[in-house]
Tab-separated table of all heavy atoms in Angstrom:
chain	number	residue	atom	x	y	z
A	1	MET	N	-12.631	-20.534	1.864
A	1	MET	CA	-13.196	-19.178	2.082
A	1	MET	C	-12.692	-18.242	0.974
A	1	MET	O	-11.563	-18.320	0.573
A	1	MET	CB	-12.751	-18.699	3.458
A	1	MET	CG	-13.640	-17.570	3.953
A	1	MET	SD	-13.216	-17.082	5.640
A	1	MET	CE	-11.841	-15.982	5.309
A	2	THR	N	-13.577	-17.378	0.549
A	2	THR	CA	-13.222	-16.423	-0.487
A	2	THR	C	-12.246	-15.370	0.082
A	2	THR	O	-12.498	-14.822	1.140
A	2	THR	CB	-14.475	-15.691	-0.987
A	2	THR	OG1	-15.425	-16.649	-1.394
A	2	THR	CG2	-14.121	-14.778	-2.144
A	3	ALA	N	-11.158	-15.162	-0.639
A	3	ALA	CA	-10.250	-14.086	-0.247
A	3	ALA	C	-10.717	-12.803	-0.844
A	3	ALA	O	-11.202	-12.732	-1.985
A	3	ALA	CB	-8.853	-14.428	-0.727
A	4	LEU	N	-10.566	-11.776	-0.102
A	4	LEU	CA	-11.043	-10.486	-0.526
A	4	LEU	C	-9.923	-9.461	-0.434
A	4	LEU	O	-9.252	-9.360	0.589
A	4	LEU	CB	-12.207	-10.107	0.404
A	4	LEU	CG	-13.105	-8.926	0.052
A	4	LEU	CD1	-14.514	-9.254	0.498
A	4	LEU	CD2	-12.627	-7.715	0.790
A	5	ARG	N	-9.678	-8.791	-1.528
A	5	ARG	CA	-8.583	-7.817	-1.563
A	5	ARG	C	-9.182	-6.456	-1.919
A	5	ARG	O	-9.885	-6.338	-2.928
A	5	ARG	CB	-7.534	-8.253	-2.576
A	5	ARG	CG	-6.317	-7.304	-2.663
A	5	ARG	CD	-5.244	-7.900	-3.515
A	5	ARG	NE	-4.713	-9.122	-2.984
A	5	ARG	CZ	-3.708	-9.186	-2.088
A	5	ARG	NH1	-3.159	-8.086	-1.676
A	5	ARG	NH2	-3.290	-10.336	-1.650
A	6	VAL	N	-8.868	-5.438	-1.141
A	6	VAL	CA	-9.450	-4.102	-1.334
A	6	VAL	C	-8.317	-3.168	-1.734
A	6	VAL	O	-7.193	-3.282	-1.262
A	6	VAL	CB	-10.066	-3.579	-0.015
A	6	VAL	CG1	-10.892	-2.352	-0.312
A	6	VAL	CG2	-10.845	-4.627	0.679
A	7	ALA	N	-8.653	-2.237	-2.625
A	7	ALA	CA	-7.715	-1.149	-2.952
A	7	ALA	C	-8.422	0.166	-2.923
A	7	ALA	O	-9.624	0.253	-3.188
A	7	ALA	CB	-7.130	-1.385	-4.352
A	8	ALA	N	-7.700	1.181	-2.572
A	8	ALA	CA	-8.263	2.521	-2.461
A	8	ALA	C	-7.365	3.522	-3.226
A	8	ALA	O	-6.165	3.540	-3.026
A	8	ALA	CB	-8.384	2.965	-1.006
A	9	ASP	N	-7.982	4.256	-4.176
A	9	ASP	CA	-7.258	5.243	-4.939
A	9	ASP	C	-7.495	6.628	-4.303
A	9	ASP	O	-8.530	7.223	-4.451
A	9	ASP	CB	-7.822	5.211	-6.357
A	9	ASP	CG	-7.070	6.199	-7.257
A	9	ASP	OD1	-6.339	7.049	-6.754
A	9	ASP	OD2	-7.277	6.098	-8.484
A	10	ARG	N	-6.492	7.068	-3.580
A	10	ARG	CA	-6.664	8.309	-2.860
A	10	ARG	C	-6.812	9.522	-3.765
A	10	ARG	O	-7.337	10.552	-3.360
A	10	ARG	CB	-5.471	8.561	-1.859
A	10	ARG	CG	-5.594	7.636	-0.639
A	10	ARG	CD	-4.357	7.752	0.235
A	10	ARG	NE	-3.945	9.093	0.552
A	10	ARG	CZ	-4.509	9.892	1.480
A	10	ARG	NH1	-5.501	9.410	2.205
A	10	ARG	NH2	-4.075	11.095	1.703
A	11	ASP	N	-6.319	9.401	-5.008
A	11	ASP	CA	-6.440	10.520	-5.945
A	11	ASP	C	-7.915	10.684	-6.392
A	11	ASP	O	-8.334	11.790	-6.745
A	11	ASP	CB	-5.551	10.293	-7.187
A	11	ASP	CG	-4.085	10.429	-6.838
A	11	ASP	OD1	-3.805	11.155	-5.831
A	11	ASP	OD2	-3.258	9.828	-7.503
A	12	ARG	N	-8.666	9.611	-6.388
A	12	ARG	CA	-10.080	9.672	-6.782
A	12	ARG	C	-10.994	10.022	-5.618
A	12	ARG	O	-12.117	10.501	-5.804
A	12	ARG	CB	-10.518	8.345	-7.379
A	12	ARG	CG	-9.970	8.077	-8.740
A	12	ARG	CD	-10.601	6.850	-9.307
A	12	ARG	NE	-11.938	7.107	-9.799
A	12	ARG	CZ	-12.525	6.360	-10.743
A	12	ARG	NH1	-11.871	5.366	-11.286
A	12	ARG	NH2	-13.708	6.625	-11.137
A	13	CYS	N	-10.549	9.740	-4.403
A	13	CYS	CA	-11.363	9.886	-3.223
A	13	CYS	C	-11.791	11.371	-3.050
A	13	CYS	O	-10.993	12.265	-3.215
A	13	CYS	CB	-10.574	9.454	-1.989
A	13	CYS	SG	-11.406	9.717	-0.436
A	14	ILE	N	-13.092	11.558	-2.751
A	14	ILE	CA	-13.570	12.917	-2.531
A	14	ILE	C	-13.900	13.161	-1.057
A	14	ILE	O	-14.637	14.088	-0.712
A	14	ILE	CB	-14.792	13.231	-3.429
A	14	ILE	CG1	-15.907	12.208	-3.149
A	14	ILE	CG2	-14.379	13.236	-4.879
A	14	ILE	CD1	-17.254	12.605	-3.746
A	15	ALA	N	-13.394	12.280	-0.186
A	15	ALA	CA	-13.506	12.452	1.280
A	15	ALA	C	-14.965	12.472	1.766
A	15	ALA	O	-15.288	13.189	2.699
A	15	ALA	CB	-12.775	13.714	1.709
A	16	ALA	N	-15.807	11.684	1.138
A	16	ALA	CA	-17.190	11.618	1.568
A	16	ALA	C	-17.337	10.829	2.890
A	16	ALA	O	-18.306	11.051	3.610
A	16	ALA	CB	-18.055	10.976	0.462
A	17	GLY	N	-16.475	9.920	3.167
A	17	GLY	CA	-16.444	9.244	4.475
A	17	GLY	C	-17.372	8.066	4.604
A	17	GLY	O	-17.438	7.490	5.663
A	18	MET	N	-18.078	7.691	3.533
A	18	MET	CA	-19.009	6.552	3.655
A	18	MET	C	-18.276	5.263	4.036
A	18	MET	O	-18.774	4.483	4.824
A	18	MET	CB	-19.735	6.365	2.326
A	18	MET	CG	-20.729	7.435	1.979
A	18	MET	SD	-21.969	7.694	3.251
A	18	MET	CE	-22.769	6.076	3.248
A	19	CYS	N	-17.137	5.084	3.456
A	19	CYS	CA	-16.401	3.796	3.678
A	19	CYS	C	-16.047	3.650	5.161
A	19	CYS	O	-16.240	2.588	5.712
A	19	CYS	CB	-15.155	3.761	2.800
A	19	CYS	SG	-14.073	5.167	3.006
A	20	ALA	N	-15.564	4.724	5.781
A	20	ALA	CA	-15.162	4.605	7.178
A	20	ALA	C	-16.400	4.394	8.081
A	20	ALA	O	-16.295	3.757	9.141
A	20	ALA	CB	-14.417	5.878	7.601
A	21	LEU	N	-17.512	4.979	7.689
A	21	LEU	CA	-18.747	4.790	8.470
A	21	LEU	C	-19.233	3.330	8.367
A	21	LEU	O	-19.648	2.738	9.353
A	21	LEU	CB	-19.877	5.694	7.946
A	21	LEU	CG	-19.919	7.119	8.424
A	21	LEU	CD1	-21.051	7.857	7.754
A	21	LEU	CD2	-20.098	7.145	9.948
A	22	LEU	N	-19.132	2.774	7.167
A	22	LEU	CA	-19.690	1.426	6.962
A	22	LEU	C	-18.748	0.319	7.426
A	22	LEU	O	-19.186	-0.713	7.890
A	22	LEU	CB	-19.989	1.237	5.465
A	22	LEU	CG	-21.212	2.045	4.956
A	22	LEU	CD1	-21.192	2.076	3.439
A	22	LEU	CD2	-22.469	1.415	5.453
A	23	ALA	N	-17.447	0.504	7.268
A	23	ALA	CA	-16.485	-0.539	7.602
A	23	ALA	C	-15.234	0.080	8.235
A	23	ALA	O	-14.202	0.200	7.636
A	23	ALA	CB	-16.100	-1.339	6.376
A	24	GLY	N	-15.401	0.507	9.504
A	24	GLY	CA	-14.361	1.243	10.200
A	24	GLY	C	-13.106	0.450	10.520
A	24	GLY	O	-12.069	1.020	10.828
A	25	SER	N	-13.176	-0.896	10.394
A	25	SER	CA	-11.991	-1.690	10.680
A	25	SER	C	-11.108	-1.758	9.443
A	25	SER	O	-9.934	-2.175	9.502
A	25	SER	CB	-12.377	-3.112	11.121
A	25	SER	OG	-13.075	-3.772	10.109
A	26	VAL	N	-11.636	-1.363	8.294
A	26	VAL	CA	-10.889	-1.478	7.057
A	26	VAL	C	-10.529	-0.085	6.478
A	26	VAL	O	-9.492	0.082	5.870
A	26	VAL	CB	-11.737	-2.262	5.988
A	26	VAL	CG1	-11.043	-2.287	4.619
A	26	VAL	CG2	-11.969	-3.694	6.516
A	27	PHE	N	-11.425	0.859	6.678
A	27	PHE	CA	-11.213	2.220	6.130
A	27	PHE	C	-11.221	3.267	7.245
A	27	PHE	O	-12.009	3.199	8.171
A	27	PHE	CB	-12.340	2.577	5.151
A	27	PHE	CG	-12.536	1.591	4.046
A	27	PHE	CD1	-13.638	0.730	4.111
A	27	PHE	CD2	-11.660	1.474	3.002
A	27	PHE	CE1	-13.842	-0.207	3.089
A	27	PHE	CE2	-11.845	0.520	1.994
A	27	PHE	CZ	-12.945	-0.302	2.048
A	28	ASP	N	-10.331	4.216	7.084
A	28	ASP	CA	-10.341	5.386	7.976
A	28	ASP	C	-10.178	6.595	7.062
A	28	ASP	O	-9.987	6.510	5.886
A	28	ASP	CB	-9.169	5.253	8.958
A	28	ASP	CG	-9.349	6.205	10.169
A	28	ASP	OD1	-10.346	6.933	10.240
A	28	ASP	OD2	-8.450	6.251	11.021
A	29	GLN	N	-10.313	7.777	7.680
A	29	GLN	CA	-10.114	9.015	6.935
A	29	GLN	C	-8.930	9.769	7.470
A	29	GLN	O	-8.700	9.845	8.677
A	29	GLN	CB	-11.370	9.929	7.050
A	29	GLN	CG	-12.519	9.441	6.195
A	29	GLN	CD	-13.684	10.411	6.308
A	29	GLN	OE1	-14.495	10.302	7.220
A	29	GLN	NE2	-13.755	11.335	5.382
A	30	ASP	N	-8.136	10.306	6.578
A	30	ASP	CA	-6.966	11.090	6.899
A	30	ASP	C	-7.395	12.293	7.743
A	30	ASP	O	-8.338	12.995	7.370
A	30	ASP	CB	-6.290	11.538	5.613
A	30	ASP	CG	-4.929	12.138	5.847
A	30	ASP	OD1	-4.844	13.161	6.546
A	30	ASP	OD2	-3.960	11.583	5.317
A	31	ASP	N	-6.716	12.518	8.864
A	31	ASP	CA	-7.050	13.658	9.728
A	31	ASP	C	-6.872	14.979	9.015
A	31	ASP	O	-7.519	15.984	9.344
A	31	ASP	CB	-6.178	13.641	10.951
A	31	ASP	CG	-6.636	12.586	11.969
A	31	ASP	OD1	-7.792	12.131	11.849
A	31	ASP	OD2	-5.812	12.208	12.824
A	32	ASN	N	-5.999	15.041	8.040
A	32	ASN	CA	-5.691	16.331	7.379
A	32	ASN	C	-6.603	16.612	6.225
A	32	ASN	O	-7.246	17.669	6.193
A	32	ASN	CB	-4.252	16.338	6.891
A	32	ASN	CG	-3.257	16.295	8.060
A	32	ASN	OD1	-3.431	17.044	9.012
A	32	ASN	ND2	-2.286	15.433	7.959
A	33	ASP	N	-6.750	15.695	5.298
A	33	ASP	CA	-7.558	15.993	4.113
A	33	ASP	C	-8.836	15.193	4.004
A	33	ASP	O	-9.625	15.408	3.056
A	33	ASP	CB	-6.696	15.854	2.824
A	33	ASP	CG	-6.200	14.423	2.620
A	33	ASP	OD1	-6.742	13.482	3.294
A	33	ASP	OD2	-5.271	14.232	1.822
A	34	GLY	N	-9.093	14.292	4.938
A	34	GLY	CA	-10.374	13.552	4.955
A	34	GLY	C	-10.426	12.443	3.987
A	34	GLY	O	-11.398	11.716	3.920
A	35	ARG	N	-9.366	12.265	3.189
A	35	ARG	CA	-9.415	11.186	2.202
A	35	ARG	C	-9.151	9.836	2.841
A	35	ARG	O	-8.603	9.748	3.915
A	35	ARG	CB	-8.425	11.467	1.063
A	35	ARG	CG	-8.918	12.634	0.213
A	35	ARG	CD	-8.080	12.765	-1.045
A	35	ARG	NE	-6.733	13.210	-0.716
A	35	ARG	CZ	-5.799	13.359	-1.625
A	35	ARG	NH1	-6.001	13.125	-2.905
A	35	ARG	NH2	-4.584	13.752	-1.278
A	36	VAL	N	-9.528	8.821	2.111
A	36	VAL	CA	-9.497	7.441	2.678
A	36	VAL	C	-8.074	6.974	3.026
A	36	VAL	O	-7.140	7.294	2.331
A	36	VAL	CB	-10.178	6.491	1.651
A	36	VAL	CG1	-9.370	6.376	0.368
A	36	VAL	CG2	-10.384	5.092	2.274
A	37	LEU	N	-8.013	6.242	4.103
A	37	LEU	CA	-6.835	5.530	4.478
A	37	LEU	C	-7.223	4.045	4.558
A	37	LEU	O	-8.172	3.724	5.251
A	37	LEU	CB	-6.301	5.989	5.845
A	37	LEU	CG	-5.782	7.404	5.951
A	37	LEU	CD1	-5.461	7.723	7.424
A	37	LEU	CD2	-4.513	7.581	5.094
A	38	LEU	N	-6.518	3.208	3.855
A	38	LEU	CA	-6.794	1.789	3.876
A	38	LEU	C	-6.071	1.158	5.070
A	38	LEU	O	-4.851	1.140	5.125
A	38	LEU	CB	-6.354	1.179	2.562
A	38	LEU	CG	-6.811	-0.251	2.271
A	38	LEU	CD1	-8.305	-0.380	2.327
A	38	LEU	CD2	-6.256	-0.700	0.940
A	39	LEU	N	-6.824	0.637	6.017
A	39	LEU	CA	-6.241	0.024	7.202
A	39	LEU	C	-5.917	-1.443	7.036
A	39	LEU	O	-5.016	-1.943	7.666
A	39	LEU	CB	-7.210	0.183	8.403
A	39	LEU	CG	-7.650	1.608	8.777
A	39	LEU	CD1	-8.663	1.514	9.904
A	39	LEU	CD2	-6.450	2.439	9.166
A	40	ASP	N	-6.682	-2.098	6.167
A	40	ASP	CA	-6.538	-3.531	6.002
A	40	ASP	C	-6.936	-3.890	4.561
A	40	ASP	O	-8.123	-3.865	4.231
A	40	ASP	CB	-7.442	-4.233	7.013
A	40	ASP	CG	-7.282	-5.742	6.982
A	40	ASP	OD1	-6.496	-6.241	6.176
A	40	ASP	OD2	-7.989	-6.392	7.795
A	41	SER	N	-5.970	-4.227	3.749
A	41	SER	CA	-6.257	-4.511	2.307
A	41	SER	C	-6.795	-5.935	2.124
A	41	SER	O	-7.308	-6.238	1.033
A	41	SER	CB	-5.017	-4.271	1.459
A	41	SER	OG	-4.010	-5.144	1.826
A	42	THR	N	-6.615	-6.806	3.116
A	42	THR	CA	-7.101	-8.180	2.973
A	42	THR	C	-7.909	-8.564	4.213
A	42	THR	O	-7.475	-9.404	5.017
A	42	THR	CB	-5.952	-9.186	2.764
A	42	THR	OG1	-5.012	-8.994	3.838
A	42	THR	CG2	-5.264	-8.942	1.462
A	43	PRO	N	-9.062	-7.912	4.426
A	43	PRO	CA	-9.830	-8.178	5.652
A	43	PRO	C	-10.321	-9.628	5.710
A	43	PRO	O	-10.826	-10.152	4.725
A	43	PRO	CB	-10.993	-7.181	5.542
A	43	PRO	CG	-11.083	-6.830	4.103
A	43	PRO	CD	-9.726	-6.948	3.533
A	44	ALA	N	-10.163	-10.233	6.881
A	44	ALA	CA	-10.597	-11.609	7.035
A	44	ALA	C	-12.057	-11.720	7.428
A	44	ALA	O	-12.708	-12.757	7.230
A	44	ALA	CB	-9.732	-12.272	8.103
A	45	THR	N	-12.594	-10.621	7.943
A	45	THR	CA	-13.999	-10.617	8.386
A	45	THR	C	-14.688	-9.377	7.854
A	45	THR	O	-14.048	-8.521	7.225
A	45	THR	CB	-14.090	-10.653	9.926
A	45	THR	OG1	-13.468	-9.460	10.408
A	45	THR	CG2	-13.472	-11.880	10.513
A	46	ASN	N	-16.002	-9.278	8.115
A	46	ASN	CA	-16.708	-8.048	7.790
A	46	ASN	C	-16.883	-7.826	6.290
A	46	ASN	O	-16.955	-6.731	5.814
A	46	ASN	CB	-15.982	-6.857	8.376
A	46	ASN	CG	-16.919	-5.996	9.226
A	46	ASN	OD1	-18.081	-6.307	9.380
A	46	ASN	ND2	-16.375	-4.899	9.759
A	47	HIS	N	-16.881	-8.925	5.515
A	47	HIS	CA	-16.886	-8.824	4.065
A	47	HIS	C	-18.133	-8.123	3.547
A	47	HIS	O	-18.072	-7.366	2.572
A	47	HIS	CB	-16.748	-10.196	3.412
A	47	HIS	CG	-15.366	-10.764	3.579
A	47	HIS	ND1	-14.988	-11.951	3.046
A	47	HIS	CD2	-14.287	-10.276	4.246
A	47	HIS	CE1	-13.723	-12.210	3.330
A	47	HIS	NE2	-13.259	-11.207	4.046
A	48	ALA	N	-19.269	-8.376	4.153
A	48	ALA	CA	-20.494	-7.727	3.654
A	48	ALA	C	-20.426	-6.210	3.805
A	48	ALA	O	-20.809	-5.483	2.874
A	48	ALA	CB	-21.710	-8.267	4.435
A	49	ALA	N	-19.875	-5.758	4.903
A	49	ALA	CA	-19.745	-4.295	5.114
A	49	ALA	C	-18.727	-3.727	4.147
A	49	ALA	O	-18.927	-2.614	3.632
A	49	ALA	CB	-19.343	-4.003	6.578
A	50	VAL	N	-17.663	-4.450	3.902
A	50	VAL	CA	-16.642	-3.961	2.945
A	50	VAL	C	-17.235	-3.873	1.548
A	50	VAL	O	-17.056	-2.853	0.835
A	50	VAL	CB	-15.401	-4.880	2.953
A	50	VAL	CG1	-14.435	-4.497	1.863
A	50	VAL	CG2	-14.732	-4.844	4.303
A	51	ARG	N	-17.995	-4.881	1.139
A	51	ARG	CA	-18.621	-4.841	-0.172
A	51	ARG	C	-19.581	-3.640	-0.264
A	51	ARG	O	-19.616	-2.930	-1.290
A	51	ARG	CB	-19.475	-6.109	-0.420
A	51	ARG	CG	-18.646	-7.225	-0.952
A	51	ARG	CD	-19.509	-8.382	-1.433
A	51	ARG	NE	-18.719	-9.593	-1.359
A	51	ARG	CZ	-18.784	-10.457	-0.352
A	51	ARG	NH1	-19.588	-10.255	0.635
A	51	ARG	NH2	-18.001	-11.502	-0.343
A	52	GLU	N	-20.332	-3.428	0.750
A	52	GLU	CA	-21.263	-2.316	0.769
A	52	GLU	C	-20.518	-0.950	0.655
A	52	GLU	O	-20.947	-0.074	-0.088
A	52	GLU	CB	-22.130	-2.315	2.031
A	52	GLU	CG	-23.251	-1.333	1.954
A	52	GLU	CD	-24.163	-1.361	3.215
A	52	GLU	OE1	-23.912	-2.192	4.098
A	52	GLU	OE2	-25.053	-0.510	3.285
A	53	ALA	N	-19.399	-0.857	1.360
A	53	ALA	CA	-18.612	0.365	1.326
A	53	ALA	C	-18.096	0.596	-0.097
A	53	ALA	O	-18.142	1.750	-0.592
A	53	ALA	CB	-17.452	0.283	2.299
A	54	VAL	N	-17.616	-0.442	-0.740
A	54	VAL	CA	-17.074	-0.309	-2.086
A	54	VAL	C	-18.181	0.109	-3.044
A	54	VAL	O	-17.996	0.999	-3.893
A	54	VAL	CB	-16.426	-1.621	-2.545
A	54	VAL	CG1	-16.041	-1.552	-4.034
A	54	VAL	CG2	-15.194	-1.928	-1.695
A	55	GLU	N	-19.377	-0.489	-2.888
A	55	GLU	CA	-20.507	-0.155	-3.798
A	55	GLU	C	-21.056	1.222	-3.511
A	55	GLU	O	-21.586	1.886	-4.402
A	55	GLU	CB	-21.610	-1.208	-3.602
A	55	GLU	CG	-21.256	-2.556	-4.236
A	55	GLU	CD	-22.162	-3.664	-3.729
A	55	GLU	OE1	-23.147	-3.358	-3.077
A	55	GLU	OE2	-21.806	-4.850	-4.007
A	56	THR	N	-20.935	1.698	-2.281
A	56	THR	CA	-21.504	2.967	-1.887
A	56	THR	C	-20.597	4.151	-2.199
A	56	THR	O	-21.087	5.279	-2.353
A	56	THR	CB	-21.857	2.949	-0.380
A	56	THR	OG1	-22.656	1.827	-0.100
A	56	THR	CG2	-22.602	4.183	0.040
A	57	CYS	N	-19.335	3.897	-2.286
A	57	CYS	CA	-18.402	5.019	-2.486
A	57	CYS	C	-18.802	5.856	-3.712
A	57	CYS	O	-18.914	5.356	-4.805
A	57	CYS	CB	-16.979	4.444	-2.708
A	57	CYS	SG	-15.814	5.740	-3.188
A	58	PRO	N	-19.053	7.154	-3.509
A	58	PRO	CA	-19.585	7.975	-4.620
A	58	PRO	C	-18.550	8.342	-5.669
A	58	PRO	O	-18.928	8.745	-6.766
A	58	PRO	CB	-20.055	9.230	-3.867
A	58	PRO	CG	-19.235	9.275	-2.619
A	58	PRO	CD	-18.966	7.868	-2.251
A	59	SER	N	-17.290	8.128	-5.409
A	59	SER	CA	-16.284	8.532	-6.395
A	59	SER	C	-15.667	7.341	-7.142
A	59	SER	O	-14.861	7.551	-8.030
A	59	SER	CB	-15.170	9.317	-5.685
A	59	SER	OG	-14.433	8.418	-4.875
A	60	GLY	N	-16.058	6.139	-6.756
A	60	GLY	CA	-15.455	4.983	-7.446
A	60	GLY	C	-13.990	4.767	-7.044
A	60	GLY	O	-13.230	4.164	-7.768
A	61	ALA	N	-13.606	5.277	-5.890
A	61	ALA	CA	-12.202	5.179	-5.473
A	61	ALA	C	-11.817	3.809	-4.930
A	61	ALA	O	-10.637	3.500	-4.840
A	61	ALA	CB	-11.903	6.239	-4.414
A	62	LEU	N	-12.837	3.045	-4.584
A	62	LEU	CA	-12.565	1.729	-3.972
A	62	LEU	C	-12.807	0.614	-4.954
A	62	LEU	O	-13.797	0.621	-5.664
A	62	LEU	CB	-13.482	1.533	-2.734
A	62	LEU	CG	-13.373	2.656	-1.672
A	62	LEU	CD1	-14.362	2.350	-0.547
A	62	LEU	CD2	-11.969	2.738	-1.133
A	63	THR	N	-11.926	-0.364	-4.950
A	63	THR	CA	-12.126	-1.520	-5.817
A	63	THR	C	-11.911	-2.794	-5.013
A	63	THR	O	-11.233	-2.783	-3.999
A	63	THR	CB	-11.144	-1.500	-6.994
A	63	THR	OG1	-9.818	-1.325	-6.509
A	63	THR	CG2	-11.504	-0.417	-8.026
A	64	LEU	N	-12.522	-3.821	-5.507
A	64	LEU	CA	-12.549	-5.097	-4.773
A	64	LEU	C	-12.139	-6.228	-5.742
A	64	LEU	O	-12.551	-6.259	-6.878
A	64	LEU	CB	-14.013	-5.339	-4.340
A	64	LEU	CG	-14.286	-6.185	-3.164
A	64	LEU	CD1	-13.617	-5.660	-1.939
A	64	LEU	CD2	-15.797	-6.280	-2.942
A	65	ASP	N	-11.314	-7.114	-5.219
A	65	ASP	CA	-10.902	-8.254	-5.991
A	65	ASP	C	-11.237	-9.496	-5.146
A	65	ASP	O	-10.706	-9.632	-4.043
A	65	ASP	CB	-9.427	-8.199	-6.333
A	65	ASP	CG	-8.929	-9.427	-7.061
A	65	ASP	OD1	-9.758	-10.120	-7.689
A	65	ASP	OD2	-7.720	-9.708	-6.981
A	66	GLU	N	-12.105	-10.315	-5.634
A	66	GLU	CA	-12.504	-11.500	-4.894
A	66	GLU	C	-12.092	-12.731	-5.694
A	66	GLU	O	-12.523	-12.881	-6.818
A	66	GLU	CB	-14.037	-11.539	-4.660
A	66	GLU	CG	-14.481	-10.454	-3.736
A	66	GLU	CD	-15.921	-10.693	-3.256
A	66	GLU	OE1	-16.147	-11.670	-2.557
A	66	GLU	OE2	-16.773	-9.867	-3.610
A	67	SER	N	-11.283	-13.572	-5.112
A	67	SER	CA	-10.880	-14.801	-5.845
A	67	SER	C	-10.615	-15.934	-4.876
A	67	SER	O	-10.533	-15.736	-3.705
A	67	SER	CB	-9.678	-14.506	-6.693
A	67	SER	OG	-8.645	-13.924	-5.923
B	1	SF4	S1	-16.419	6.503	0.433
B	1	SF4	FE1	-15.074	6.792	-1.353
B	1	SF4	S2	-14.980	8.982	-1.608
B	1	SF4	FE2	-15.721	8.596	0.459
B	1	SF4	S3	-13.910	8.603	1.782
B	1	SF4	FE3	-14.330	6.509	1.171
B	1	SF4	S4	-13.052	6.186	-0.682
B	1	SF4	FE4	-13.243	8.391	-0.368
């Protein structure tokens, strides 16, 4: 199975919230500033939603490493 590793750069995040909407088991938003919180950097499931979240993020704050 392909391993998937996600990273989130909170300095780039503009708190748009798309990631948390698309993959809520992996991404959340900080209650204070709305920026991304990474809940799971190596999700075992939900890979399609995680990929979509990374591609949809408007600020390029999310990156994906698949190997
Ligand atoms: S989609 Fe991108 S910009 Fe929006 S909250 Fe998530 S990481 Fe931040």
